Amino acid sequence: MQHIFYKGTDETKPTLLLLHGTGGNEESLIGLAKEIDETANILSVRGNVLEHGMPRFFRRLAEGVFDIEDLIFRTKELYGFLQEAAQQYGFDRQRIVAIGYSNGANIAASLLFHYDDALAGAILHHPMVPRRGIELPQLSSIPVFIGAGTNDPMCTAQESEDLETLLTSAGAKVTTKWFDFGHQLTIPEVHAAKEWYNSIYA
Ligand code: MLT
């Protein structure tokens, strides 16, 4: 998968896996990652699907309606890529913390829904429930931050609440923060994510 890897300066930190929103690329979230932790390794990946020229991590049939077969295939593809990247760059495969926005948050959530060892933690900015009606793996105490907008037309409050419930039932330690905005990622949300991250990894 097309990607950027930056080696961090502090080996005790996890590797930050950056997953952009629709129309973004591997450059989009670098500034965000540096804001969260400028000393950690960064692995930033570009989604392999194009929708009218816009990169995404999996196909959708309509806004908010996912192509589940493709979601499963792309989730597996990303899972395999993480293994390869860990070997290539020599970072700890067991210590990857995803930072995803929108479509990128959805594929990060899909990694959690399908594998018990894909991620050591996740910051999900404006995620949805990637898939319904499946049993989740044991996510024993995996820390997850959800940033949600009370007026987000794409990811409704119900989606965020359902995602929190599903992840918590699987054993994840979920912290959800609400902001009186829409789908955009705002400075107060980034600050809340950073505070959450520091409480666990600093
Ligand atoms: C998705 O398709 O993953 C969501 O609707 C969010 C987005 O458009 O990126």
Side-chain angles (χ1 to χ4, degrees):
M1 297 183 79
Q2 197 155 329
H3 66 280
I4 299 173
F5 180 78
Y6 293 127
K7 181 139 186 62
T9 52
D10 183 349
E11 289 196 353
T12 68
K13 295 298 184 61
T15 294
L16 303 179
L17 168 67
L18 310 186
L19 303 163
H20 61 79
T22 301
N25 60 36
E26 65 278 22
E27 310 269 358
S28 306
L29 300 183
I30 300 290
L32 172 65
K34 299 259 185 212
E35 184 64 35
I36 300 288
D37 185 350
E38 58 183 5
T39 66
N41 293 329
I42 290 175
L43 177 66
S44 188
V45 186
R46 182 188 294 200
N48 262 346
V49 164
L50 281 181
E51 183 186 87
H52 308 299
M54 295 184 295
R56 285 177 54 84
F57 285 95
F58 56 89
R59 273 186 244 288
R60 61 180 164 183
L61 306 172
E63 195 167 285
V65 185
F66 302 152
D67 177 336
I68 297 300
E69 208 179 306
D70 192 58
L71 173 70
I72 295 167
F73 175 79
R74 299 293 171 190
T75 303
K76 192 171 175 199
E77 180 181 52
L78 179 57
Y79 181 81
F81 173 74
L82 296 178
Q83 184 66 34
E84 284 168 29
Q87 274 167 4
Q88 184 180 348
Y89 297 112
F91 64 80
D92 185 351
R93 168 69 190 88
Q94 301 313 315
R95 296 198 70 218
I96 297 177
V97 174
I99 302 180
Y101 169 62
S102 194
N103 181 244
N106 293 343
I107 192 95
S110 183
L111 281 171
L112 293 170
F113 270 47
H114 292 101
Y115 301 99
D116 64 359
D117 61 351
L119 299 174
I123 295 177
L124 307 177
H125 293 293
H126 302 258
M128 295 168 67
V129 175
R131 215 186 144 184
R132 292 185 186 262
I134 58 164
E135 196 178 324
L136 270 61
Q138 258 307 316
L139 298 174
S140 323
S141 304
I142 293 181
V144 178
F145 173 94
I146 296 177
T150 47
N151 302 308
D152 189 333
M154 294 247 236
C155 312
T156 59
Q158 190 67 51
E159 284 286 328
S160 310
E161 283 159 10
D162 288 355
L163 182 62
E164 178 179 9
T165 304
L166 288 164
L167 290 171
T168 303
S169 308
K173 276 170 58 185
V174 185
T175 302
T176 304
K177 296 279 181 200
W178 291 92
F179 300 88
D180 284 334
F181 296 105
H183 195 60
Q184 75 270 37
L185 182 50
T186 61
I187 300 287
E189 185 173 332
V190 174
H191 286 167
K194 184 177 170 125
E195 200 175 306
W196 173 88
Y197 176 91
N198 283 340
S199 74
I200 299 167
Y201 302 104

